[in-house]
Amino acid sequence: MFLPHHCRAGSVSEGSQESIEVAASTDPAACTAWCLARTRELGFAAAGVCDASPSKRSGELRAWLNGGRHGPMNWMQAHVDVRIDPARIVPGTQSVLVAAARYHDGRPDARCTDEIVGGTAASGRVARYARGPDYHRVMKRRLRTLQRELEAALPGTQGKVCCDIEPVPERELAERAGLGRIGKNTLLIADGLGSWTVLASYFTTARLQPTPRADDGDPCGTCTRCIDACPTGAISPWSVDASRCITTVTIEQRSLPEPHVASKVGDWLFGCDICQEVCPHNQPTRHSRRMGVDQAWDGRSAAFALRDVLQWNQISRRAAMGASALTRVHAPQARRNAVWCALDVLRQNPQHPLRQDLESITADEGDDPQVRHAAKTVLEMIR
Ligand code: B12
Ligand code: SF4
Ligand code: SF4
């Protein structure tokens, strides 16, 4: 169920009061129509509704966990019963509303090769979903507005808004709610929007009418671009080995990453978008540009100069990152990532000033052991 993107976040139309009266009719179809209109007013690019029945893919989840494909994210092993039967998140859940916000329109980043060859400001990129304020807050604030209004109109209704961190299978729910289909890179691909979306869901005891599913066809066919392009070989069709994914290594992993994975981060300082950049569904088109990008993603913090990051402490890290979703990355972790990104620069220009920075780090016995270990390994690799 796709929503035209004329209404941006905060531009609540004057028709809202009338819409709430429609919701109060308790007719599931009218409630769904009201919810979808409200998600549009709140700024979401797409939304849909599904029932709250258990996951059809519990076998895949268990195999992923049993095979250790969650890597260092031990929290994925908690509440597996809820991931498989997400209605448990709110007793009495009847329906799930899933909403998507679009953070990018597919235009490529300009890569600063001049900087790498001659200059001093080589930089590391931030994955696009994190270029702006913390999306968990943005998405939850919007859906909680809808929740408050629906629950006021339907007394006795209860619910919960989830975004990312709660143990619910967001992509599977989004697929069921008709937002799109899951690709081989495991991301939800929505028609016209591609996979440049983040998802949030509202579990409610209200009965809403499900929206039609997107057709069951496979969005990939014979394409294997994401599998071929992933620098660490983390993707097999419809499964990502998170222990090898650059997103895990740069954001989730507090312990020392394996050098054979860390040495492949390229210029990704936080997260990685490669398996999305290459996807045919994600390329910019006239239609995708017209759909627009959510105004919350203002492009802030798209990249950081590596030499600056190497100097970060907790205070300067917080000042640089602001209220972005990346604040979960501590200063030593960010500096460690910058060291690995420096490998990419030094391979092309071994005399870049980053080399001296890394040498100073290895010489400083008081510095963080992980950062020193990474610097030593990188210097050995370019020797
Ligand atoms: C853990 C996690 C990660 C891990 C593991 C990723 C993974 N693929 O599982 C890591 C840290 C690597 C990661 C990376 C990223 N993530 Co993440 N992540 C999650 C999280 C918290 C849980 C995902 C999960 O349950 N994984 C377990 C595995 C088993 O589940 P799964 O891969 O989804 O598998 C299901 C399907 O693939 C399906 N399936 C299995 N076989 C088959 C076969 C066929 C034919 C089909 C159709 C389906 C199918 O069934 C499985 C069970 O439901 C979700 C939020 C949430 N609560 O859902 C966000 C989420 C998936 N991440 C998201 C994002 C944006 C990213 C990144 C793009 C961020 C970035 N740019 O750096 C990358 C993308 C990497 C990638 N290709 O997956 C978004 C995805 C939005 C979208 N449009 O799809 C989510 C939904 C967060 C959000 N609220 O928006 N992530
Ligand atoms: S995010 Fe990067 S490392 Fe992770 S699966 Fe996609 S291409 Fe591979
Ligand atoms: S790159 Fe190709 S195989 Fe991968 S998700 Fe996109 S269409 Fe599917």
PDB file of all heavy atoms in Angstrom, residues 330-354:
ATOM      1  N   HIS A 330      30.870   3.838  20.652  1.00  0.00           N
ATOM      2  CA  HIS A 330      31.732   4.567  21.584  1.00  0.00           C
ATOM      3  C   HIS A 330      32.963   5.128  20.867  1.00  0.00           C
ATOM      4  O   HIS A 330      33.316   4.672  19.775  1.00  0.00           O
ATOM      5  CB  HIS A 330      32.186   3.649  22.716  1.00  0.00           C
ATOM      6  CG  HIS A 330      31.039   3.229  23.581  1.00  0.00           C
ATOM      7  ND1 HIS A 330      31.140   2.252  24.532  1.00  0.00           N
ATOM      8  CD2 HIS A 330      29.764   3.661  23.627  1.00  0.00           C
ATOM      9  CE1 HIS A 330      29.963   2.095  25.133  1.00  0.00           C
ATOM     10  NE2 HIS A 330      29.119   2.940  24.595  1.00  0.00           N
ATOM     11  N   ALA A 331      33.623   6.088  21.544  1.00  0.00           N
ATOM     12  CA  ALA A 331      34.770   6.750  20.900  1.00  0.00           C
ATOM     13  C   ALA A 331      35.883   5.761  20.489  1.00  0.00           C
ATOM     14  O   ALA A 331      36.374   5.831  19.355  1.00  0.00           O
ATOM     15  CB  ALA A 331      35.318   7.864  21.793  1.00  0.00           C
ATOM     16  N   PRO A 332      36.280   4.805  21.359  1.00  0.00           N
ATOM     17  CA  PRO A 332      37.344   3.883  20.918  1.00  0.00           C
ATOM     18  C   PRO A 332      36.923   3.053  19.709  1.00  0.00           C
ATOM     19  O   PRO A 332      37.735   2.785  18.805  1.00  0.00           O
ATOM     20  CB  PRO A 332      37.571   2.974  22.135  1.00  0.00           C
ATOM     21  CG  PRO A 332      36.994   3.707  23.295  1.00  0.00           C
ATOM     22  CD  PRO A 332      35.900   4.586  22.765  1.00  0.00           C
ATOM     23  N   GLN A 333      35.631   2.663  19.677  1.00  0.00           N
ATOM     24  CA  GLN A 333      35.123   1.897  18.531  1.00  0.00           C
ATOM     25  C   GLN A 333      35.195   2.737  17.252  1.00  0.00           C
ATOM     26  O   GLN A 333      35.607   2.252  16.196  1.00  0.00           O
ATOM     27  CB  GLN A 333      33.655   1.601  18.804  1.00  0.00           C
ATOM     28  CG  GLN A 333      33.190   0.206  18.623  1.00  0.00           C
ATOM     29  CD  GLN A 333      31.684   0.145  18.950  1.00  0.00           C
ATOM     30  OE1 GLN A 333      31.215   0.735  19.932  1.00  0.00           O
ATOM     31  NE2 GLN A 333      30.953  -0.545  18.124  1.00  0.00           N
ATOM     32  N   ALA A 334      34.813   4.008  17.354  1.00  0.00           N
ATOM     33  CA  ALA A 334      34.852   4.907  16.194  1.00  0.00           C
ATOM     34  C   ALA A 334      36.291   5.087  15.726  1.00  0.00           C
ATOM     35  O   ALA A 334      36.579   5.050  14.519  1.00  0.00           O
ATOM     36  CB  ALA A 334      34.237   6.257  16.560  1.00  0.00           C
ATOM     37  N   ARG A 335      37.212   5.237  16.669  1.00  0.00           N
ATOM     38  CA  ARG A 335      38.628   5.418  16.305  1.00  0.00           C
ATOM     39  C   ARG A 335      39.170   4.141  15.665  1.00  0.00           C
ATOM     40  O   ARG A 335      39.904   4.185  14.672  1.00  0.00           O
ATOM     41  CB  ARG A 335      39.440   5.791  17.547  1.00  0.00           C
ATOM     42  CG  ARG A 335      39.075   7.167  18.098  1.00  0.00           C
ATOM     43  CD  ARG A 335      39.871   7.499  19.344  1.00  0.00           C
ATOM     44  NE  ARG A 335      41.291   7.561  19.113  1.00  0.00           N
ATOM     45  CZ  ARG A 335      42.196   6.954  19.876  1.00  0.00           C
ATOM     46  NH1 ARG A 335      41.830   6.237  20.930  1.00  0.00           N
ATOM     47  NH2 ARG A 335      43.465   7.055  19.581  1.00  0.00           N
ATOM     48  N   ARG A 336      38.776   2.987  16.220  1.00  0.00           N
ATOM     49  CA  ARG A 336      39.188   1.695  15.621  1.00  0.00           C
ATOM     50  C   ARG A 336      38.694   1.592  14.182  1.00  0.00           C
ATOM     51  O   ARG A 336      39.425   1.199  13.274  1.00  0.00           O
ATOM     52  CB  ARG A 336      38.614   0.566  16.481  1.00  0.00           C
ATOM     53  CG  ARG A 336      38.896  -0.819  15.973  1.00  0.00           C
ATOM     54  CD  ARG A 336      37.870  -1.803  16.512  1.00  0.00           C
ATOM     55  NE  ARG A 336      36.558  -1.610  15.927  1.00  0.00           N
ATOM     56  CZ  ARG A 336      35.428  -2.127  16.413  1.00  0.00           C
ATOM     57  NH1 ARG A 336      35.451  -2.852  17.518  1.00  0.00           N
ATOM     58  NH2 ARG A 336      34.276  -1.932  15.804  1.00  0.00           N
ATOM     59  N   ASN A 337      37.433   2.009  13.954  1.00  0.00           N
ATOM     60  CA  ASN A 337      36.891   1.972  12.587  1.00  0.00           C
ATOM     61  C   ASN A 337      37.695   2.896  11.669  1.00  0.00           C
ATOM     62  O   ASN A 337      37.974   2.561  10.513  1.00  0.00           O
ATOM     63  CB  ASN A 337      35.428   2.431  12.571  1.00  0.00           C
ATOM     64  CG  ASN A 337      34.494   1.474  13.291  1.00  0.00           C
ATOM     65  OD1 ASN A 337      34.902   0.386  13.674  1.00  0.00           O
ATOM     66  ND2 ASN A 337      33.251   1.891  13.476  1.00  0.00           N
ATOM     67  N   ALA A 338      38.064   4.074  12.197  1.00  0.00           N
ATOM     68  CA  ALA A 338      38.830   5.029  11.380  1.00  0.00           C
ATOM     69  C   ALA A 338      40.188   4.443  11.002  1.00  0.00           C
ATOM     70  O   ALA A 338      40.693   4.657   9.891  1.00  0.00           O
ATOM     71  CB  ALA A 338      38.995   6.351  12.127  1.00  0.00           C
ATOM     72  N   VAL A 339      40.771   3.682  11.924  1.00  0.00           N
ATOM     73  CA  VAL A 339      42.062   3.039  11.617  1.00  0.00           C
ATOM     74  C   VAL A 339      41.890   2.086  10.437  1.00  0.00           C
ATOM     75  O   VAL A 339      42.682   2.079   9.487  1.00  0.00           O
ATOM     76  CB  VAL A 339      42.603   2.276  12.855  1.00  0.00           C
ATOM     77  CG1 VAL A 339      43.790   1.404  12.464  1.00  0.00           C
ATOM     78  CG2 VAL A 339      42.982   3.239  13.971  1.00  0.00           C
ATOM     79  N   TRP A 340      40.795   1.284  10.463  1.00  0.00           N
ATOM     80  CA  TRP A 340      40.590   0.329   9.369  1.00  0.00           C
ATOM     81  C   TRP A 340      40.282   1.041   8.062  1.00  0.00           C
ATOM     82  O   TRP A 340      40.699   0.607   6.991  1.00  0.00           O
ATOM     83  CB  TRP A 340      39.501  -0.685   9.747  1.00  0.00           C
ATOM     84  CG  TRP A 340      40.031  -1.729  10.680  1.00  0.00           C
ATOM     85  CD1 TRP A 340      39.710  -1.899  11.996  1.00  0.00           C
ATOM     86  CD2 TRP A 340      41.016  -2.725  10.394  1.00  0.00           C
ATOM     87  NE1 TRP A 340      40.420  -2.939  12.550  1.00  0.00           N
ATOM     88  CE2 TRP A 340      41.231  -3.470  11.580  1.00  0.00           C
ATOM     89  CE3 TRP A 340      41.745  -3.077   9.258  1.00  0.00           C
ATOM     90  CZ2 TRP A 340      42.137  -4.529  11.657  1.00  0.00           C
ATOM     91  CZ3 TRP A 340      42.639  -4.132   9.328  1.00  0.00           C
ATOM     92  CH2 TRP A 340      42.832  -4.850  10.519  1.00  0.00           C
ATOM     93  N   CYS A 341      39.563   2.185   8.135  1.00  0.00           N
ATOM     94  CA  CYS A 341      39.310   2.956   6.908  1.00  0.00           C
ATOM     95  C   CYS A 341      40.626   3.533   6.371  1.00  0.00           C
ATOM     96  O   CYS A 341      40.793   3.694   5.155  1.00  0.00           O
ATOM     97  CB  CYS A 341      38.345   4.113   7.174  1.00  0.00           C
ATOM     98  SG  CYS A 341      36.648   3.606   7.418  1.00  0.00           S
ATOM     99  N   ALA A 342      41.555   3.840   7.277  1.00  0.00           N
ATOM    100  CA  ALA A 342      42.840   4.394   6.845  1.00  0.00           C
ATOM    101  C   ALA A 342      43.591   3.397   5.961  1.00  0.00           C
ATOM    102  O   ALA A 342      44.369   3.792   5.075  1.00  0.00           O
ATOM    103  CB  ALA A 342      43.693   4.768   8.059  1.00  0.00           C
ATOM    104  N   LEU A 343      43.343   2.107   6.176  1.00  0.00           N
ATOM    105  CA  LEU A 343      44.005   1.091   5.348  1.00  0.00           C
ATOM    106  C   LEU A 343      43.704   1.339   3.876  1.00  0.00           C
ATOM    107  O   LEU A 343      44.605   1.263   3.009  1.00  0.00           O
ATOM    108  CB  LEU A 343      43.522  -0.311   5.764  1.00  0.00           C
ATOM    109  CG  LEU A 343      44.023  -1.480   4.919  1.00  0.00           C
ATOM    110  CD1 LEU A 343      45.548  -1.605   4.999  1.00  0.00           C
ATOM    111  CD2 LEU A 343      43.375  -2.793   5.363  1.00  0.00           C
ATOM    112  N   ASP A 344      42.446   1.656   3.574  1.00  0.00           N
ATOM    113  CA  ASP A 344      42.019   1.899   2.193  1.00  0.00           C
ATOM    114  C   ASP A 344      42.795   3.082   1.595  1.00  0.00           C
ATOM    115  O   ASP A 344      43.221   3.059   0.437  1.00  0.00           O
ATOM    116  CB  ASP A 344      40.507   2.218   2.229  1.00  0.00           C
ATOM    117  CG  ASP A 344      39.848   2.060   0.887  1.00  0.00           C
ATOM    118  OD1 ASP A 344      40.259   1.165   0.142  1.00  0.00           O
ATOM    119  OD2 ASP A 344      38.918   2.839   0.590  1.00  0.00           O
ATOM    120  N   VAL A 345      42.991   4.123   2.399  1.00  0.00           N
ATOM    121  CA  VAL A 345      43.696   5.328   1.940  1.00  0.00           C
ATOM    122  C   VAL A 345      45.186   5.018   1.753  1.00  0.00           C
ATOM    123  O   VAL A 345      45.789   5.357   0.729  1.00  0.00           O
ATOM    124  CB  VAL A 345      43.519   6.477   2.967  1.00  0.00           C
ATOM    125  CG1 VAL A 345      44.277   7.714   2.531  1.00  0.00           C
ATOM    126  CG2 VAL A 345      42.038   6.782   3.187  1.00  0.00           C
ATOM    127  N   LEU A 346      45.761   4.340   2.745  1.00  0.00           N
ATOM    128  CA  LEU A 346      47.205   4.090   2.708  1.00  0.00           C
ATOM    129  C   LEU A 346      47.600   3.102   1.605  1.00  0.00           C
ATOM    130  O   LEU A 346      48.717   3.160   1.094  1.00  0.00           O
ATOM    131  CB  LEU A 346      47.684   3.585   4.079  1.00  0.00           C
ATOM    132  CG  LEU A 346      47.594   4.648   5.192  1.00  0.00           C
ATOM    133  CD1 LEU A 346      47.831   4.036   6.565  1.00  0.00           C
ATOM    134  CD2 LEU A 346      48.577   5.787   4.943  1.00  0.00           C
ATOM    135  N   ARG A 347      46.677   2.230   1.241  1.00  0.00           N
ATOM    136  CA  ARG A 347      46.976   1.323   0.124  1.00  0.00           C
ATOM    137  C   ARG A 347      47.178   2.131  -1.158  1.00  0.00           C
ATOM    138  O   ARG A 347      47.946   1.748  -2.027  1.00  0.00           O
ATOM    139  CB  ARG A 347      45.829   0.341  -0.070  1.00  0.00           C
ATOM    140  CG  ARG A 347      45.972  -0.878   0.822  1.00  0.00           C
ATOM    141  CD  ARG A 347      44.824  -1.829   0.589  1.00  0.00           C
ATOM    142  NE  ARG A 347      45.009  -3.050   1.353  1.00  0.00           N
ATOM    143  CZ  ARG A 347      44.011  -3.758   1.837  1.00  0.00           C
ATOM    144  NH1 ARG A 347      42.764  -3.381   1.672  1.00  0.00           N
ATOM    145  NH2 ARG A 347      44.260  -4.856   2.508  1.00  0.00           N
ATOM    146  N   GLN A 348      46.451   3.249  -1.260  1.00  0.00           N
ATOM    147  CA  GLN A 348      46.565   4.062  -2.481  1.00  0.00           C
ATOM    148  C   GLN A 348      47.658   5.118  -2.357  1.00  0.00           C
ATOM    149  O   GLN A 348      48.235   5.534  -3.350  1.00  0.00           O
ATOM    150  CB  GLN A 348      45.227   4.730  -2.772  1.00  0.00           C
ATOM    151  CG  GLN A 348      44.171   3.681  -3.104  1.00  0.00           C
ATOM    152  CD  GLN A 348      42.796   4.285  -3.268  1.00  0.00           C
ATOM    153  OE1 GLN A 348      42.580   5.038  -4.199  1.00  0.00           O
ATOM    154  NE2 GLN A 348      41.913   3.960  -2.361  1.00  0.00           N
ATOM    155  N   ASN A 349      47.894   5.581  -1.154  1.00  0.00           N
ATOM    156  CA  ASN A 349      48.907   6.611  -0.936  1.00  0.00           C
ATOM    157  C   ASN A 349      49.625   6.325   0.391  1.00  0.00           C
ATOM    158  O   ASN A 349      49.264   6.846   1.435  1.00  0.00           O
ATOM    159  CB  ASN A 349      48.240   7.998  -0.893  1.00  0.00           C
ATOM    160  CG  ASN A 349      49.232   9.104  -0.584  1.00  0.00           C
ATOM    161  OD1 ASN A 349      50.447   8.859  -0.522  1.00  0.00           O
ATOM    162  ND2 ASN A 349      48.741  10.303  -0.371  1.00  0.00           N
ATOM    163  N   PRO A 350      50.669   5.458   0.341  1.00  0.00           N
ATOM    164  CA  PRO A 350      51.320   5.006   1.580  1.00  0.00           C
ATOM    165  C   PRO A 350      51.923   6.147   2.396  1.00  0.00           C
ATOM    166  O   PRO A 350      52.185   5.977   3.587  1.00  0.00           O
ATOM    167  CB  PRO A 350      52.406   4.049   1.088  1.00  0.00           C
ATOM    168  CG  PRO A 350      52.014   3.682  -0.299  1.00  0.00           C
ATOM    169  CD  PRO A 350      51.235   4.819  -0.854  1.00  0.00           C
ATOM    170  N   GLN A 351      52.143   7.313   1.780  1.00  0.00           N
ATOM    171  CA  GLN A 351      52.758   8.415   2.532  1.00  0.00           C
ATOM    172  C   GLN A 351      51.726   9.401   3.060  1.00  0.00           C
ATOM    173  O   GLN A 351      52.064  10.477   3.534  1.00  0.00           O
ATOM    174  CB  GLN A 351      53.789   9.142   1.647  1.00  0.00           C
ATOM    175  CG  GLN A 351      54.971   8.266   1.243  1.00  0.00           C
ATOM    176  CD  GLN A 351      55.503   7.417   2.405  1.00  0.00           C
ATOM    177  OE1 GLN A 351      55.636   7.880   3.543  1.00  0.00           O
ATOM    178  NE2 GLN A 351      55.795   6.146   2.123  1.00  0.00           N
ATOM    179  N   HIS A 352      50.479   9.067   2.985  1.00  0.00           N
ATOM    180  CA  HIS A 352      49.433   9.962   3.496  1.00  0.00           C
ATOM    181  C   HIS A 352      49.699  10.234   4.990  1.00  0.00           C
ATOM    182  O   HIS A 352      50.180   9.342   5.716  1.00  0.00           O
ATOM    183  CB  HIS A 352      48.068   9.294   3.301  1.00  0.00           C
ATOM    184  CG  HIS A 352      46.922  10.218   3.533  1.00  0.00           C
ATOM    185  ND1 HIS A 352      46.472  10.552   4.800  1.00  0.00           N
ATOM    186  CD2 HIS A 352      46.141  10.910   2.670  1.00  0.00           C
ATOM    187  CE1 HIS A 352      45.455  11.387   4.693  1.00  0.00           C
ATOM    188  NE2 HIS A 352      45.227  11.630   3.418  1.00  0.00           N
ATOM    189  N   PRO A 353      49.415  11.458   5.477  1.00  0.00           N
ATOM    190  CA  PRO A 353      49.664  11.773   6.897  1.00  0.00           C
ATOM    191  C   PRO A 353      48.981  10.828   7.890  1.00  0.00           C
ATOM    192  O   PRO A 353      49.385  10.761   9.067  1.00  0.00           O
ATOM    193  CB  PRO A 353      49.096  13.193   7.050  1.00  0.00           C
ATOM    194  CG  PRO A 353      49.057  13.767   5.683  1.00  0.00           C
ATOM    195  CD  PRO A 353      48.946  12.640   4.723  1.00  0.00           C
ATOM    196  N   LEU A 354      47.985  10.067   7.424  1.00  0.00           N
ATOM    197  CA  LEU A 354      47.359   9.092   8.329  1.00  0.00           C
ATOM    198  C   LEU A 354      48.380   8.072   8.839  1.00  0.00           C
ATOM    199  O   LEU A 354      48.241   7.521   9.924  1.00  0.00           O
ATOM    200  CB  LEU A 354      46.236   8.349   7.595  1.00  0.00           C
ATOM    201  CG  LEU A 354      44.883   9.076   7.537  1.00  0.00           C
ATOM    202  CD1 LEU A 354      43.992   8.468   6.468  1.00  0.00           C
ATOM    203  CD2 LEU A 354      44.186   9.046   8.891  1.00  0.00           C
TER     204      LEU A 354
END
